Amino acid sequence: MRIASLSDYLLLRVNRDPSAQESTRIPRGARVPRVPANRQIYQLIREAILAQTLPAGLQLPSTRDLAGELGMSRNTVTYAYEQLLAEGYLESRAGAGTFVADTAPDQIPETAERHIPLTDPSGKSELSARGAMLTRQAGVSDKQWGAFMPGIPDVTQFPHKVWSRLQNKHWRRAQAEMLTYGPGAGYGPLREAIAEYLRISRSVNCNASQVMITSGIHQSLDTVVKLLGEHGDSAWVEDPCYWGTRSVLNSLGIQAVPIPVDQEGMRMRLANLRRPPRFICTTPSHQYPLGMVMSLSRRRMLLEYAAAHKVWIIEDDYDSEFRYGGRPLASLQGMDTHNRVLYMGTFSKIMFPGLRIGFLVVPEALAGAFATGLAELYRGGQVFLQATLADFMAEGHFSSHIRKMRVLYAERLQLLQQAIQRNFGDDMHITGGEAGLHLTISLPPQCDDKLICADAWKDGVIVRPLSTYYMTPKTARCGLLLGYASVPNEMIRPAFDKLAQIIRNAAID
């Protein structure tokens, strides 16, 4: 189609085309915002050029003539023309006028295989095999709050007034160092505060130079594997394990080898021991998701094996601050005399997940390389947040918050255990109820934990299926992960009663 008269075309559409409005979803009773006329003319001419209804080489009316035909000021049309000239849609020829530019792309040569959309009608995807696997096996949830979402602290209890005061102090100073890229390893005072905290509370052997600030467990693991591993290396992972560990390893071309767990933690078999991996990923202080603690004999064996075969142990210590039957356990890293353990932690469980600050403790010999690697790969920032957190720790608010939340979470754990007992008596096996922010419950053999989770989701209850945390389907157990930390006390019983009815219905079916 060709436009016979540009002025007629514009008159028909200016201030009449719903698509020319800035928003098509306007609340009832609100004024409908209109796009200025000069912007509308620009958009309509551009669309006509792209659709080839205004062909290349066509001469446009002068700004004076078009403005007169439209009954608008010349400045309105001039703006549209100047913007189109600047973007290359129009070209001005001295003494001749303004013309539609030839913007058609060069001819693209035919290839054996044409470009395939991201998803075509046949279902074929342009995602790589790695991308397809990553998205297909994703464990991330659309909802991150509510009963019984695992791994989420009660962010409503965070001392936001204290945090705001500390953050405002740094904003008032507005130093240049706070506004530019941060040092690769992170803000110095925060690294010192973390090192001191870890030495006292987790028996980690480190100094501030060994502490690397990251955005959390995922980035810490990603950095370790990128700097110490090669594509095709293998890593032992606990089976079951945290889904994020598998996702990061798979995305980097690392073969995840499932190692079953029992009441003493990872149970290495002779066949495994004969083929040393590059990495061993473990949660020795609170196995995720089952909750057991790795025994001392297993810890010693793991450390000796790693030293003998030059294996890197990646210790994920994600929530050990919350132990309800005694003091938090010492770290595996604190027992290491051969510098083969890299220790990861996060503030997401202690404070709030949106903070996105974690830490990685590396052997001293690797500290310089890791600081450089972090800066090269990720370009550090958020210095204001790191400085605020450093003050939060130095002034004692961090330790005070941990003590307060430990009492609250212990109370909620007890309420959840009572709700389980009330509904199922001793028929339901509970694991992982001594520490952390969640527990797991077993299900009758005839139940499908994934279907139960789907039914619970429809009823507004969030639980995760235990079976999906296993890499080996034949050994997978059927159960549910229930987070209690973010559930108000008064909501725990009614929410579990609702879930219990869903479980009973599934057992009957």
Side-chain angles (χ1 to χ4, degrees), residues 5 20 92 98 142 157 206 208-209 214 223 225-226 229 245 254 261 273 297 301 357 379 398 406 451 501:
S5 168
S92 179
T98 304
D142 292 336
Q157 298 296 315
C206 69
S209 70
T214 69
T223 304
V225 174
K226 283 179 176 174
T245 299
I254 303 297
V261 297
L273 297 173
S297 62
M301 191 274 280
I357 294 181
R379 303 296 284 147
F398 182 70
R406 189 181 291 140
L451 290 178
Q501 187 57 51

Side-chain angles (χ1 to χ4, degrees), residues 326-377:
R327 289 180 57 82
L329 302 174
S331 65
L332 182 64
Q333 192 269 3
M335 298 175 58
D336 179 25
T337 58
H338 300 283
N339 293 319
R340 303 306 303 178
V341 177
L342 297 104
Y343 177 90
M344 306 187 302
T346 177
F347 290 96
S348 294
K349 310 300 185 225
I350 307 172
M351 299 175 66
F352 56 96
L355 184 63
R356 302 316 304 141
I357 294 181
F359 51 87
L360 170 67
V361 179
V362 304
E364 197 162 8
L366 296 176
F370 268 75
T372 300
L374 281 164
E376 184 69 15
L377 289 170

